[in-house]
Amino acid sequence: MNNNPNKPREYDAVLGGEVPPPVNGVVLGGIEGVKNRLKSPEARERASALIDALRYQEEGFELVIEALKDSSDKVQMFAARLLRNKGGEKGKEALLRHNPQQCFTMLEDWQFETFYPNIGITSAISTAYNVNLYREEPNPRGEFRVVEDFNLDDLQVFLNDIQVSEVEALACWMPDKSYLEIYQQECLTLINMLCKASQKLINLKALFIGNRRQHEYKKSRIYLSDMISILENFPKLEVLKIHGNPHNNLFSKKIYHPSLKTL
């Protein structure tokens, strides 16, 4: 048994120390070590191995492409992100063959977790946040039911958090209660609130507004308002995802946006 915690294991990514490893440097265990880590039952370990796989040029590149079929959605998305950002033209070609949508920056590129006002923002740089715009309570059967259709209290706490300026992605969840209609005026209140806080949300790159649960073939009952002010107030926005019913036009005028990649 290895009782020395400072001694590297066979498949450790790099030796410890204060000097970072060279970008093109090899990893302990070589390409075979990377392959073994890709067999790990832990999705996080497999995703970590993909970073090292790219150091092995053609053979490692093929491992990243193969990871697009991984059993974990998170590993698939991470592999797509690596190919999109570091794979050059060859990476884009691989994504086009596998799933053309993965060539685009997507909301799913961020890992989301629910925002709890009593906890606040804990890891702004690495985490995207879901904020509920309604209140729900458990019923006697242990299920949750919506008791207030539209409530911006949690969002206000989120926007007042000291770390909100570091947040890159935000999802504003409206309730998915059957046949609920959230009218334009309430959606407009939300949009105005976000735009007013644009000087705080200076790093926002991805935004979702709409139903908590979306269905590809189901029409939303949530009424949305004009979204043009979102584009005008968030110049760094790369992804805007909307799920709802546009009562009128979602965008009242033409606009040039320097950063938007996916709508």
Side-chain angles (χ1 to χ4, degrees):
M1 179 179 293
N2 179 7
N3 294 319
N4 183 356
N6 296 318
K7 185 175 180 180
R9 295 167 297 170
E10 184 178 2
Y11 298 131
D12 278 348
V14 293
L15 288 170
E18 297 180 358
V19 180
V23 173
N24 296 318
V26 297
V27 296
L28 295 181
I31 188 66
E32 293 304 318
V34 173
K35 290 178 180 178
N36 277 319
R37 289 166 58 204
L38 287 170
K39 297 176 184 177
S40 169
E42 298 294 329
R44 183 183 294 271
E45 176 65 17
R46 299 198 301 276
S48 175
L50 292 177
I51 299 174
D52 292 330
L54 287 178
R55 301 170 188 247
Y56 291 93
Q57 299 179 354
E58 190 67 29
E59 191 172 2
F61 192 82
E62 292 301 321
L63 292 176
V64 178
I65 293 176
E66 187 64 27
L68 293 172
K69 304 174 185 176
D70 193 273
S71 59
S72 165
D73 291 343
K74 290 184 174 62
V75 175
Q76 291 178 25
M77 289 187 286
F78 188 68
R81 193 185 312 168
L82 285 176
L83 291 171
R84 190 169 60 238
N85 296 337
K86 298 183 181 296
E89 288 302 316
K90 193 170 181 179
K92 292 179 182 178
E93 289 174 6
L95 290 173
L96 284 171
R97 289 195 303 270
H98 183 262
N99 181 354
Q101 285 191 353
Q102 291 179 323
C103 289
F104 300 96
T105 304
M106 305 291 286
L107 192 74
E108 291 77 14
D109 289 344
W110 283 267
Q111 175 140 354
F112 281 81
E113 69 177 46
T114 300
F115 174 76
Y116 296 103
N118 59 324
I119 296 176
I121 297 173
T122 57
S123 52
I125 295 176
S126 60
T127 306
Y129 283 95
N130 302 319
V131 179
N132 292 334
L133 304 184
Y134 57 92
R135 280 197 318 110
E136 57 184 5
E137 293 178 353
N139 60 26
R141 293 177 294 177
E143 300 170 342
F144 283 85
R145 65 185 182 91
V146 174
V147 295
E148 190 173 354
D149 294 336
F150 198 75
N151 186 305
L152 297 176
D153 290 350
D154 287 2
L155 181 61
Q156 188 61 67
V157 174
F158 175 83
L159 295 175
N160 289 336
D161 193 287
I162 193 171
Q163 294 190 75
V164 73
S165 62
E166 298 176 6
V167 172
E168 289 188 345
L170 169 64
C172 295
W173 294 120
M174 295 179 176
D176 56 344
K177 188 176 175 183
S178 298
Y179 303 108
L180 174 68
E181 292 183 351
I182 291 185
Y183 294 101
Q184 290 176 280
Q185 188 56 47
E186 291 170 313
C187 184
L188 183 60
T189 301
L190 163 66
I191 292 170
N192 289 339
M193 188 173 178
L194 291 173
C195 291
K196 188 176 180 180
S198 60
Q199 296 305 310
K200 296 180 179 180
L201 292 164
I202 55 175
N203 283 310
L204 192 67
K205 296 180 180 179
L207 175 64
F208 171 87
I209 296 175
N211 279 13
R212 181 174 182 85
R213 294 184 179 89
Q214 307 105 56
H215 190 285
E216 186 176 0
Y217 304 111
K218 185 177 179 181
K219 183 178 179 180
S220 172
R221 293 279 180 158
I222 290 178
Y223 288 174
L224 299 176
S225 298
D226 188 350
M227 296 283 171
I228 197 69
S229 56
I230 292 290
L231 296 179
E232 291 175 333
N233 283 275
F234 294 95
K236 291 186 179 180
L237 202 65
E238 297 180 12
V239 180
L240 177 58
K241 184 174 182 179
I242 304 164
H243 188 255
N245 185 358
H247 187 61
N248 289 311
N249 292 329
L250 273 179
F251 302 99
S252 58
K253 62 182 179 181
K254 294 180 180 180
I255 184 175
Y256 170 77
H257 196 283
S259 304
L260 195 67
K261 297 178 181 177
T262 307
L263 175 62

